[in-house]
Amino acid sequence: MTEASQITERVGPMMRTSRSGRRRNQHLNFGVAIVGIVVMMAIFAPLLTRYSPIDQDFSATLQGPSWTHLLGTDNLGRDLWSRILYGGRIDLFLATVAVAAPLVIGTAVGALSGYFGGWFDVIVMRIADIVVAFPFYVLVISLVFIFGNGVGSIFAAISIVSWVAYARIVRAEALVIRSTDFMDALRVGGIGTVRIVFRHLVPNVVSQAIVYAMSDIVANIGVIVTLSYFGMGIVPPTPDWGSMMADGQPFFVGGYYGLMVIPALAVIVTSFGLSLIGDGLANVLRVKR
Amino acid sequence: MLRFLTRRMLLLVPVVLGVATLTFMLMHMAPGDPARTYLGDRANPAAIAALRHEWGLDQPLWRQYLNFMGGLAVGDLGRSMFFHDRIITLLAIRLPPTLWLMAMATLFSIVISVPLATWMAVSRGGAVDAGVRSFNAIAQGTPLFFTGAVLIAIFSLNLHWFPVAGYGNTVSQHIASLILPSLSVALVIVPFLIRGLRGALMDALNSEYVNFAKAKGLNRRAIWINYALKNASITGISILGIQVGYLAGGSLVIENVFAIPGMGTFLMKGILNRDFPVVQASALVFALLVIFIYLLTDIAYGLFDPRVRLK
């Protein structure tokens, strides 16, 4: 590689205005817009609807969309729009928190494992092999059963399973960074090990884990709504997209498709937005390399 | 090849032991007393003590562990409280539907992915490419049970093409009742497979051996089939191997949507009945199944690609 091409390579992301470069940002922007709107709707739910998501009104059951009920009502006369908004609150909150904890734990464990190697690494990676042998849904569903239904159990179950992926990703990156010159320089400079790992190593290896976190939120939303769909997740009457779909499914036969399809669309649109952010971030970070 | 095989098998021993240990721990991670959970809060203490004895919970932990592992070694997975039978016999009946479901889902995912990935690689950057990418992103975010419910609504309830639920009694009924569920599960894997295959096809097409084949004057068709697709198939196998966890998790979910009497419904029934040994045993068998399929893909990998064996 010549001197000149090295320079453009380094300055790359700023200078490059190729078609694919712009498309990358489009992905990211579009994703952020979708997810931003969904999150705002969940946060400002009380301002966006006049109805409570749990109050039943038997004089207005199974109504179609109208100006009084934007998306209609369900079989118990509950306003569907309200339930979508409030359901998003709990699902998105739980999915995000259940990514944050494994991200932090997995990154720390993976960085230490990759940096130190030795017996710690061996033990961590064997545990990882064992956890990964279980299908994600099988282990999470079994754990939620063991811990009992509810938000806390779902959080614990997902965390126990999914830190492993982060640990593996970060460890692989840490193995590469460990033997670079700048790590040697830090060690020679007499910087403490803890400081090296958490101030210098982690910031260099965490980007892959963050990209993965985006697809992990999608997976979490999937498992949360699935648990609730099977009646073992978020406990009624708290509205949640999964239990809404379970409640709505019997009304498919009567032609009330919205009761199941609308919460499903909420899940699909949110996940689509998150995937776009993930793709966009992956591309941006890959270019920066 | 034999050395390659023995090495792979030996590497599995600690994982299998660890998986069994983790399943053993499941019962002991319960916040309360499993026996009390099973019998309910108002059960009399004598009944709880009897069940604790039956499940071996009254023994010291190390003995419980040895009993559990010893039982596994001779194929004893304990007894189901609800069905009053040995779990191993119950599972033996429920394994085939799950295996058929997973096999058909794999078949469907290949049948869907290969043409689409090829089409994408041919028209790279075009409308097909963009369209399939969006389809991937949407498919990945669609809950599996929703796909199943929609397929039931369209093809079973409206068009009456397939049974709504169950597994039937004859082979043709089995196949008919597994088509929609396996198609749903296939759609979970398809996005991964398409992405991987497309990448592998592009790599192959840009490679020197394809350039050489072109220079030699081979026609496009021969290049695609003998060079590009053949090489991409190796990537395909490894992706299918990695995705087998999704396949197993997917059949757990979809069996319960379509009421197929497989391992997934067995696990769920165990959960509904608070039948701890059943949940434990089903989780264990699911994990062993995944490990076994990993091994099979490794072997297939070695057979298809001689480079792997030498490593």
Side-chain angles (χ1 to χ4, degrees), chain B residues 86-113:
Chain B
R86 283 157 50 96
I87 292 176
I88 189 92
T89 12
L90 293 165
L91 270 176
I93 314 167
R94 286 164 175 84
L95 195 55
T98 303
L99 291 180
W100 281 115
L101 175 60
M102 287 169 71
M104 278 175 68
T106 310
L107 192 68
F108 273 127
S109 66
I110 296 170
V111 170
I112 297 170
S113 305

PDB file of all heavy atoms in Angstrom, chain B residues 86-113:
ATOM      1  N   ARG B  86     -42.283 -43.179  33.258  1.00  0.00           N
ATOM      2  CA  ARG B  86     -40.873 -42.816  33.123  1.00  0.00           C
ATOM      3  C   ARG B  86     -40.739 -41.771  32.016  1.00  0.00           C
ATOM      4  O   ARG B  86     -41.323 -41.916  30.937  1.00  0.00           O
ATOM      5  CB  ARG B  86     -40.040 -44.051  32.773  1.00  0.00           C
ATOM      6  CG  ARG B  86     -39.775 -44.988  33.956  1.00  0.00           C
ATOM      7  CD  ARG B  86     -39.482 -46.380  33.444  1.00  0.00           C
ATOM      8  NE  ARG B  86     -38.470 -46.326  32.393  1.00  0.00           N
ATOM      9  CZ  ARG B  86     -37.162 -46.529  32.624  1.00  0.00           C
ATOM     10  NH1 ARG B  86     -36.740 -46.781  33.838  1.00  0.00           N
ATOM     11  NH2 ARG B  86     -36.309 -46.466  31.633  1.00  0.00           N
ATOM     12  N   ILE B  87     -39.950 -40.723  32.293  1.00  0.00           N
ATOM     13  CA  ILE B  87     -39.840 -39.632  31.328  1.00  0.00           C
ATOM     14  C   ILE B  87     -39.215 -40.109  30.020  1.00  0.00           C
ATOM     15  O   ILE B  87     -39.591 -39.675  28.941  1.00  0.00           O
ATOM     16  CB  ILE B  87     -39.040 -38.461  31.940  1.00  0.00           C
ATOM     17  CG1 ILE B  87     -39.857 -37.833  33.066  1.00  0.00           C
ATOM     18  CG2 ILE B  87     -38.706 -37.422  30.893  1.00  0.00           C
ATOM     19  CD1 ILE B  87     -39.149 -36.741  33.799  1.00  0.00           C
ATOM     20  N   ILE B  88     -38.285 -41.055  30.131  1.00  0.00           N
ATOM     21  CA  ILE B  88     -37.589 -41.505  28.924  1.00  0.00           C
ATOM     22  C   ILE B  88     -38.557 -42.147  27.931  1.00  0.00           C
ATOM     23  O   ILE B  88     -38.488 -41.909  26.723  1.00  0.00           O
ATOM     24  CB  ILE B  88     -36.419 -42.462  29.290  1.00  0.00           C
ATOM     25  CG1 ILE B  88     -35.548 -42.761  28.083  1.00  0.00           C
ATOM     26  CG2 ILE B  88     -36.897 -43.748  29.908  1.00  0.00           C
ATOM     27  CD1 ILE B  88     -34.397 -41.824  27.959  1.00  0.00           C
ATOM     28  N   THR B  89     -39.538 -42.906  28.444  1.00  0.00           N
ATOM     29  CA  THR B  89     -40.537 -43.503  27.541  1.00  0.00           C
ATOM     30  C   THR B  89     -41.429 -42.416  26.947  1.00  0.00           C
ATOM     31  O   THR B  89     -41.804 -42.470  25.778  1.00  0.00           O
ATOM     32  CB  THR B  89     -41.442 -44.515  28.288  1.00  0.00           C
ATOM     33  OG1 THR B  89     -41.245 -44.373  29.679  1.00  0.00           O
ATOM     34  CG2 THR B  89     -41.180 -45.915  27.848  1.00  0.00           C
ATOM     35  N   LEU B  90     -41.796 -41.429  27.773  1.00  0.00           N
ATOM     36  CA  LEU B  90     -42.644 -40.335  27.291  1.00  0.00           C
ATOM     37  C   LEU B  90     -41.927 -39.542  26.207  1.00  0.00           C
ATOM     38  O   LEU B  90     -42.521 -39.162  25.200  1.00  0.00           O
ATOM     39  CB  LEU B  90     -43.018 -39.405  28.451  1.00  0.00           C
ATOM     40  CG  LEU B  90     -43.920 -40.003  29.524  1.00  0.00           C
ATOM     41  CD1 LEU B  90     -43.922 -39.140  30.771  1.00  0.00           C
ATOM     42  CD2 LEU B  90     -45.334 -40.171  28.986  1.00  0.00           C
ATOM     43  N   LEU B  91     -40.637 -39.294  26.436  1.00  0.00           N
ATOM     44  CA  LEU B  91     -39.864 -38.507  25.464  1.00  0.00           C
ATOM     45  C   LEU B  91     -39.656 -39.262  24.160  1.00  0.00           C
ATOM     46  O   LEU B  91     -39.642 -38.666  23.087  1.00  0.00           O
ATOM     47  CB  LEU B  91     -38.513 -38.118  26.067  1.00  0.00           C
ATOM     48  CG  LEU B  91     -38.467 -36.805  26.831  1.00  0.00           C
ATOM     49  CD1 LEU B  91     -37.090 -36.609  27.441  1.00  0.00           C
ATOM     50  CD2 LEU B  91     -38.798 -35.646  25.920  1.00  0.00           C
ATOM     51  N   ALA B  92     -39.503 -40.580  24.268  1.00  0.00           N
ATOM     52  CA  ALA B  92     -39.244 -41.389  23.071  1.00  0.00           C
ATOM     53  C   ALA B  92     -40.375 -41.222  22.058  1.00  0.00           C
ATOM     54  O   ALA B  92     -40.134 -41.196  20.853  1.00  0.00           O
ATOM     55  CB  ALA B  92     -39.074 -42.856  23.458  1.00  0.00           C
ATOM     56  N   ILE B  93     -41.620 -41.088  22.549  1.00  0.00           N
ATOM     57  CA  ILE B  93     -42.758 -40.899  21.637  1.00  0.00           C
ATOM     58  C   ILE B  93     -42.727 -39.512  21.033  1.00  0.00           C
ATOM     59  O   ILE B  93     -43.159 -39.303  19.906  1.00  0.00           O
ATOM     60  CB  ILE B  93     -44.098 -41.068  22.387  1.00  0.00           C
ATOM     61  CG1 ILE B  93     -44.065 -42.299  23.273  1.00  0.00           C
ATOM     62  CG2 ILE B  93     -45.268 -41.124  21.416  1.00  0.00           C
ATOM     63  CD1 ILE B  93     -45.208 -42.347  24.263  1.00  0.00           C
ATOM     64  N   ARG B  94     -42.229 -38.534  21.793  1.00  0.00           N
ATOM     65  CA  ARG B  94     -42.335 -37.136  21.360  1.00  0.00           C
ATOM     66  C   ARG B  94     -41.145 -36.645  20.551  1.00  0.00           C
ATOM     67  O   ARG B  94     -41.194 -35.551  19.988  1.00  0.00           O
ATOM     68  CB  ARG B  94     -42.556 -36.249  22.585  1.00  0.00           C
ATOM     69  CG  ARG B  94     -43.961 -36.383  23.121  1.00  0.00           C
ATOM     70  CD  ARG B  94     -44.118 -35.842  24.504  1.00  0.00           C
ATOM     71  NE  ARG B  94     -45.497 -35.895  24.937  1.00  0.00           N
ATOM     72  CZ  ARG B  94     -46.079 -36.961  25.472  1.00  0.00           C
ATOM     73  NH1 ARG B  94     -45.378 -38.074  25.633  1.00  0.00           N
ATOM     74  NH2 ARG B  94     -47.345 -36.931  25.846  1.00  0.00           N
ATOM     75  N   LEU B  95     -40.089 -37.448  20.525  1.00  0.00           N
ATOM     76  CA  LEU B  95     -38.906 -37.028  19.770  1.00  0.00           C
ATOM     77  C   LEU B  95     -39.142 -37.011  18.252  1.00  0.00           C
ATOM     78  O   LEU B  95     -38.796 -36.028  17.591  1.00  0.00           O
ATOM     79  CB  LEU B  95     -37.720 -37.923  20.149  1.00  0.00           C
ATOM     80  CG  LEU B  95     -36.335 -37.435  19.739  1.00  0.00           C
ATOM     81  CD1 LEU B  95     -36.060 -36.041  20.267  1.00  0.00           C
ATOM     82  CD2 LEU B  95     -35.263 -38.398  20.232  1.00  0.00           C
ATOM     83  N   PRO B  96     -39.745 -38.067  17.673  1.00  0.00           N
ATOM     84  CA  PRO B  96     -39.877 -38.084  16.190  1.00  0.00           C
ATOM     85  C   PRO B  96     -40.594 -36.873  15.596  1.00  0.00           C
ATOM     86  O   PRO B  96     -40.074 -36.307  14.618  1.00  0.00           O
ATOM     87  CB  PRO B  96     -40.645 -39.393  15.917  1.00  0.00           C
ATOM     88  CG  PRO B  96     -40.387 -40.244  17.092  1.00  0.00           C
ATOM     89  CD  PRO B  96     -40.245 -39.329  18.258  1.00  0.00           C
ATOM     90  N   PRO B  97     -41.755 -36.447  16.118  1.00  0.00           N
ATOM     91  CA  PRO B  97     -42.386 -35.264  15.493  1.00  0.00           C
ATOM     92  C   PRO B  97     -41.463 -34.054  15.476  1.00  0.00           C
ATOM     93  O   PRO B  97     -41.392 -33.334  14.469  1.00  0.00           O
ATOM     94  CB  PRO B  97     -43.605 -34.999  16.386  1.00  0.00           C
ATOM     95  CG  PRO B  97     -43.898 -36.279  17.044  1.00  0.00           C
ATOM     96  CD  PRO B  97     -42.584 -36.968  17.222  1.00  0.00           C
ATOM     97  N   THR B  98     -40.715 -33.844  16.585  1.00  0.00           N
ATOM     98  CA  THR B  98     -39.799 -32.707  16.639  1.00  0.00           C
ATOM     99  C   THR B  98     -38.687 -32.853  15.608  1.00  0.00           C
ATOM    100  O   THR B  98     -38.333 -31.889  14.933  1.00  0.00           O
ATOM    101  CB  THR B  98     -39.200 -32.589  18.056  1.00  0.00           C
ATOM    102  OG1 THR B  98     -40.278 -32.480  18.982  1.00  0.00           O
ATOM    103  CG2 THR B  98     -38.307 -31.389  18.177  1.00  0.00           C
ATOM    104  N   LEU B  99     -38.152 -34.075  15.483  1.00  0.00           N
ATOM    105  CA  LEU B  99     -37.076 -34.287  14.518  1.00  0.00           C
ATOM    106  C   LEU B  99     -37.571 -34.057  13.093  1.00  0.00           C
ATOM    107  O   LEU B  99     -36.893 -33.418  12.290  1.00  0.00           O
ATOM    108  CB  LEU B  99     -36.499 -35.698  14.658  1.00  0.00           C
ATOM    109  CG  LEU B  99     -35.714 -35.959  15.938  1.00  0.00           C
ATOM    110  CD1 LEU B  99     -35.188 -37.387  15.960  1.00  0.00           C
ATOM    111  CD2 LEU B  99     -34.546 -34.967  16.053  1.00  0.00           C
ATOM    112  N   TRP B 100     -38.775 -34.577  12.784  1.00  0.00           N
ATOM    113  CA  TRP B 100     -39.329 -34.365  11.447  1.00  0.00           C
ATOM    114  C   TRP B 100     -39.565 -32.891  11.186  1.00  0.00           C
ATOM    115  O   TRP B 100     -39.288 -32.383  10.104  1.00  0.00           O
ATOM    116  CB  TRP B 100     -40.636 -35.148  11.273  1.00  0.00           C
ATOM    117  CG  TRP B 100     -40.404 -36.588  10.990  1.00  0.00           C
ATOM    118  CD1 TRP B 100     -40.752 -37.640  11.778  1.00  0.00           C
ATOM    119  CD2 TRP B 100     -39.745 -37.140   9.847  1.00  0.00           C
ATOM    120  NE1 TRP B 100     -40.345 -38.819  11.197  1.00  0.00           N
ATOM    121  CE2 TRP B 100     -39.731 -38.547  10.012  1.00  0.00           C
ATOM    122  CE3 TRP B 100     -39.158 -36.590   8.700  1.00  0.00           C
ATOM    123  CZ2 TRP B 100     -39.156 -39.406   9.083  1.00  0.00           C
ATOM    124  CZ3 TRP B 100     -38.586 -37.450   7.764  1.00  0.00           C
ATOM    125  CH2 TRP B 100     -38.590 -38.832   7.956  1.00  0.00           C
ATOM    126  N   LEU B 101     -40.091 -32.210  12.201  1.00  0.00           N
ATOM    127  CA  LEU B 101     -40.333 -30.773  12.066  1.00  0.00           C
ATOM    128  C   LEU B 101     -39.036 -30.034  11.746  1.00  0.00           C
ATOM    129  O   LEU B 101     -38.967 -29.209  10.824  1.00  0.00           O
ATOM    130  CB  LEU B 101     -40.957 -30.238  13.367  1.00  0.00           C
ATOM    131  CG  LEU B 101     -41.180 -28.739  13.487  1.00  0.00           C
ATOM    132  CD1 LEU B 101     -42.107 -28.249  12.390  1.00  0.00           C
ATOM    133  CD2 LEU B 101     -41.787 -28.416  14.837  1.00  0.00           C
ATOM    134  N   MET B 102     -37.971 -30.371  12.510  1.00  0.00           N
ATOM    135  CA  MET B 102     -36.697 -29.687  12.297  1.00  0.00           C
ATOM    136  C   MET B 102     -36.125 -30.023  10.922  1.00  0.00           C
ATOM    137  O   MET B 102     -35.585 -29.147  10.244  1.00  0.00           O
ATOM    138  CB  MET B 102     -35.706 -30.052  13.408  1.00  0.00           C
ATOM    139  CG  MET B 102     -36.063 -29.393  14.741  1.00  0.00           C
ATOM    140  SD  MET B 102     -35.126 -30.032  16.145  1.00  0.00           S
ATOM    141  CE  MET B 102     -33.521 -29.372  15.797  1.00  0.00           C
ATOM    142  N   ALA B 103     -36.268 -31.285  10.509  1.00  0.00           N
ATOM    143  CA  ALA B 103     -35.740 -31.687   9.207  1.00  0.00           C
ATOM    144  C   ALA B 103     -36.473 -30.963   8.082  1.00  0.00           C
ATOM    145  O   ALA B 103     -35.849 -30.421   7.153  1.00  0.00           O
ATOM    146  CB  ALA B 103     -35.868 -33.199   9.039  1.00  0.00           C
ATOM    147  N   MET B 104     -37.818 -30.909   8.173  1.00  0.00           N
ATOM    148  CA  MET B 104     -38.580 -30.250   7.122  1.00  0.00           C
ATOM    149  C   MET B 104     -38.306 -28.745   7.102  1.00  0.00           C
ATOM    150  O   MET B 104     -38.252 -28.130   6.038  1.00  0.00           O
ATOM    151  CB  MET B 104     -40.076 -30.520   7.299  1.00  0.00           C
ATOM    152  CG  MET B 104     -40.490 -31.868   6.736  1.00  0.00           C
ATOM    153  SD  MET B 104     -42.226 -32.286   7.050  1.00  0.00           S
ATOM    154  CE  MET B 104     -43.084 -31.091   6.050  1.00  0.00           C
ATOM    155  N   ALA B 105     -38.125 -28.165   8.290  1.00  0.00           N
ATOM    156  CA  ALA B 105     -37.822 -26.739   8.348  1.00  0.00           C
ATOM    157  C   ALA B 105     -36.482 -26.461   7.666  1.00  0.00           C
ATOM    158  O   ALA B 105     -36.340 -25.475   6.922  1.00  0.00           O
ATOM    159  CB  ALA B 105     -37.793 -26.262   9.796  1.00  0.00           C
ATOM    160  N   THR B 106     -35.499 -27.341   7.899  1.00  0.00           N
ATOM    161  CA  THR B 106     -34.200 -27.174   7.256  1.00  0.00           C
ATOM    162  C   THR B 106     -34.344 -27.242   5.740  1.00  0.00           C
ATOM    163  O   THR B 106     -33.812 -26.403   5.004  1.00  0.00           O
ATOM    164  CB  THR B 106     -33.228 -28.275   7.722  1.00  0.00           C
ATOM    165  OG1 THR B 106     -33.253 -28.327   9.145  1.00  0.00           O
ATOM    166  CG2 THR B 106     -31.822 -27.997   7.249  1.00  0.00           C
ATOM    167  N   LEU B 107     -35.112 -28.249   5.295  1.00  0.00           N
ATOM    168  CA  LEU B 107     -35.338 -28.427   3.859  1.00  0.00           C
ATOM    169  C   LEU B 107     -35.980 -27.175   3.253  1.00  0.00           C
ATOM    170  O   LEU B 107     -35.512 -26.641   2.238  1.00  0.00           O
ATOM    171  CB  LEU B 107     -36.243 -29.643   3.640  1.00  0.00           C
ATOM    172  CG  LEU B 107     -36.365 -30.142   2.211  1.00  0.00           C
ATOM    173  CD1 LEU B 107     -35.034 -30.718   1.758  1.00  0.00           C
ATOM    174  CD2 LEU B 107     -37.462 -31.194   2.099  1.00  0.00           C
ATOM    175  N   PHE B 108     -37.043 -26.687   3.901  1.00  0.00           N
ATOM    176  CA  PHE B 108     -37.720 -25.487   3.417  1.00  0.00           C
ATOM    177  C   PHE B 108     -36.765 -24.293   3.357  1.00  0.00           C
ATOM    178  O   PHE B 108     -36.786 -23.510   2.410  1.00  0.00           O
ATOM    179  CB  PHE B 108     -38.910 -25.126   4.311  1.00  0.00           C
ATOM    180  CG  PHE B 108     -40.181 -25.809   3.933  1.00  0.00           C
ATOM    181  CD1 PHE B 108     -40.910 -26.520   4.875  1.00  0.00           C
ATOM    182  CD2 PHE B 108     -40.671 -25.743   2.639  1.00  0.00           C
ATOM    183  CE1 PHE B 108     -42.088 -27.166   4.529  1.00  0.00           C
ATOM    184  CE2 PHE B 108     -41.851 -26.378   2.286  1.00  0.00           C
ATOM    185  CZ  PHE B 108     -42.561 -27.093   3.236  1.00  0.00           C
ATOM    186  N   SER B 109     -35.952 -24.155   4.411  1.00  0.00           N
ATOM    187  CA  SER B 109     -35.067 -22.985   4.448  1.00  0.00           C
ATOM    188  C   SER B 109     -34.072 -23.035   3.288  1.00  0.00           C
ATOM    189  O   SER B 109     -33.750 -22.001   2.695  1.00  0.00           O
ATOM    190  CB  SER B 109     -34.356 -22.880   5.794  1.00  0.00           C
ATOM    191  OG  SER B 109     -33.483 -23.945   5.960  1.00  0.00           O
ATOM    192  N   ILE B 110     -33.608 -24.250   2.940  1.00  0.00           N
ATOM    193  CA  ILE B 110     -32.678 -24.370   1.806  1.00  0.00           C
ATOM    194  C   ILE B 110     -33.392 -24.043   0.499  1.00  0.00           C
ATOM    195  O   ILE B 110     -32.902 -23.274  -0.325  1.00  0.00           O
ATOM    196  CB  ILE B 110     -32.072 -25.793   1.750  1.00  0.00           C
ATOM    197  CG1 ILE B 110     -31.226 -26.046   2.993  1.00  0.00           C
ATOM    198  CG2 ILE B 110     -31.233 -25.973   0.496  1.00  0.00           C
ATOM    199  CD1 ILE B 110     -30.787 -27.476   3.157  1.00  0.00           C
ATOM    200  N   VAL B 111     -34.593 -24.628   0.339  1.00  0.00           N
ATOM    201  CA  VAL B 111     -35.352 -24.437  -0.895  1.00  0.00           C
ATOM    202  C   VAL B 111     -35.676 -22.948  -1.114  1.00  0.00           C
ATOM    203  O   VAL B 111     -35.683 -22.470  -2.246  1.00  0.00           O
ATOM    204  CB  VAL B 111     -36.648 -25.278  -0.854  1.00  0.00           C
ATOM    205  CG1 VAL B 111     -37.571 -24.907  -1.997  1.00  0.00           C
ATOM    206  CG2 VAL B 111     -36.306 -26.759  -0.910  1.00  0.00           C
ATOM    207  N   ILE B 112     -35.926 -22.229  -0.019  1.00  0.00           N
ATOM    208  CA  ILE B 112     -36.243 -20.793  -0.159  1.00  0.00           C
ATOM    209  C   ILE B 112     -34.969 -19.975  -0.376  1.00  0.00           C
ATOM    210  O   ILE B 112     -34.928 -19.071  -1.207  1.00  0.00           O
ATOM    211  CB  ILE B 112     -36.994 -20.282   1.094  1.00  0.00           C
ATOM    212  CG1 ILE B 112     -38.338 -20.999   1.238  1.00  0.00           C
ATOM    213  CG2 ILE B 112     -37.222 -18.776   1.009  1.00  0.00           C
ATOM    214  CD1 ILE B 112     -39.028 -20.733   2.548  1.00  0.00           C
ATOM    215  N   SER B 113     -33.911 -20.303   0.395  1.00  0.00           N
ATOM    216  CA  SER B 113     -32.737 -19.420   0.425  1.00  0.00           C
ATOM    217  C   SER B 113     -31.863 -19.509  -0.822  1.00  0.00           C
ATOM    218  O   SER B 113     -31.401 -18.488  -1.329  1.00  0.00           O
ATOM    219  CB  SER B 113     -31.863 -19.739   1.632  1.00  0.00           C
ATOM    220  OG  SER B 113     -32.608 -19.672   2.797  1.00  0.00           O
TER     221      SER B 113
END
